[in-house]
Amino acid sequence: MFKAILIEKDEQGYRAALKDIDDAQLPEGNVTVKVAASTLNYKDGLAVTGKSPVVRKFPMVPGIDLAGTVESSSHPDWQPGDRVVLNGWGVGETQWGGLAEKARLNGDWLVPLPAAFTPEQAMAIGTAGYTSMLCVLALERHGVKPEHGEIVVTGAAGGVGSVAVALLAKLGYTVAAVTGRLAEADYLKSLGAATVLERSEFNQPGKPLAKERWAGAVDTVGSHTLANVCAQTKYGGVVTACGLAGGMDFPASVAPFILRGVTLAGIDSVMRPKPDRLEAWRRLATDLDLAKLGLITREITLAEAIPAAQQLLDGQVRGRVVVRVS
Ligand code: NDP
């Protein structure tokens, strides 16, 4: 038997509870992992609360991330005792996920846990932090350099935002952090933000083109915020769009793209090919300051993950939450 959060949906409604589950109920897969730690991402918040239909099979163990040790494997790449990380691939949505003491998975989805990290540190990063790194890599690939000017990060006190601020600052970029929680200004400055700006300057309808401010952007918010960030991006700048915390719409014009040559780079972490994942984790191991990761993170238990999921959606969680599983 192992403990897991189980989401059920039937005539009694949609509910998540901590349950004891028989190993025989584990889904099919060629690697069984003893989970050391998991985490709560925005999508896990949606899954646990049922606020959006991210879970597409029931019963479901949520958790789009996990870190742990291989218990058994018939996959050629993995042996018992190997330390592994998993992010995405529909795990926690269509396939049982990481908010459990045990997981059975397709070995193709796993990447080696970098030696630089404990499982808890890897989960402090989680999909949120790995997505931040994908955004930074996209800025680099499009030639954005620290000397080109400021990088704006929206939803900065959230998980993706906090890691993005820390990564960009360590790499020498000047970071402007946009937040709805000005009380977190000192936190954002401690992560390396040079300036902290109020969310309300960004989340209202704006002009198609505005004063040029940003060399690049990491946007986790979408909607008017993304439209305004694009409108404020300098000639030739790059906006990476990864989130929808403020809405899925994009009420923008083509003006920044056709008049200023701005690039809008879409960032998906879920189905990202393995070489990109390996590169992102390799760069996280060298470019993320572990002391800052400690500032970003708080730890909870599996049972506490259920109420914390609602707090995350309510915008009350700062940075990242690690779920210590075993
Ligand atoms: P968090 O909940 O940790 O952070 C989101 C932050 O967005 C909040 O902390 C808040 O920051 C800000 N925010 C929340 N609600 C609003 C609102 N209504 N208007 C404007 N800002 C708001 O989530 P994550 O960091 O884990 O994820 C951020 C986004 O990125 C989510 O939409 C998530 O789905 C997406 N995502 C996408 C991935 C991909 O593969 N493309 C992977 C991972 C995440 P503050 O308080 O500082 O304003």
Side-chain angles (χ1 to χ4, degrees), residues 42 131 155-160 179-181 199 220-221 242-245 267 269:
Y42 193 83
T131 301
V160 176
T179 183
R181 293 179 271 178
R199 177 195 293 175
T220 73
V221 172
C242 71
L244 44 59
I267 304 297
S269 66

Side-chain angles (χ1 to χ4, degrees), residues 2 33 38 50 72 81 211 241 255 296:
F2 66 96
V33 177
S38 184
S72 62
K211 183 167 175 277
I296 290 171

Side-chain angles (χ1 to χ4, degrees), residues 35 37-41 44 62-67 85-88 91-92 97-99 122-123 125-130 281 320:
V35 181
S38 184
T39 174
L40 281 183
N41 296 279
D44 301 314
I64 66 171
D65 288 326
L66 63 84
V85 181
L86 175 128
N87 307 112
V91 170
L99 288 166
M123 289 296 97
I125 296 167
T127 284
Y130 141 69
W281 278 100
R320 301 277 302 132

Side-chain angles (χ1 to χ4, degrees), residues 38-112:
S38 184
T39 174
L40 281 183
N41 296 279
Y42 193 83
K43 198 184 264 179
D44 301 314
L46 296 174
V48 171
T49 60
K51 192 181 164 203
S52 284
V54 294
V55 174
R56 276 161 284 149
K57 274 189 192 167
F58 297 91
M60 177 57 61
V61 174
I64 66 171
D65 288 326
L66 63 84
T69 309
V70 172
E71 199 175 86
S72 62
S73 166
S74 59
H75 188 284
D77 291 352
W78 305 108
Q79 312 300 322
D82 287 346
R83 295 178 353 134
V84 292
V85 181
L86 175 128
N87 307 112
W89 293 118
V91 170
E93 300 177 66
T94 56
Q95 172 87 16
W96 281 18
L99 288 166
E101 289 172 338
K102 214 175 260 197
R104 186 164 296 142
L105 303 153
N106 179 341
D108 292 344
W109 300 337
L110 300 169
V111 298

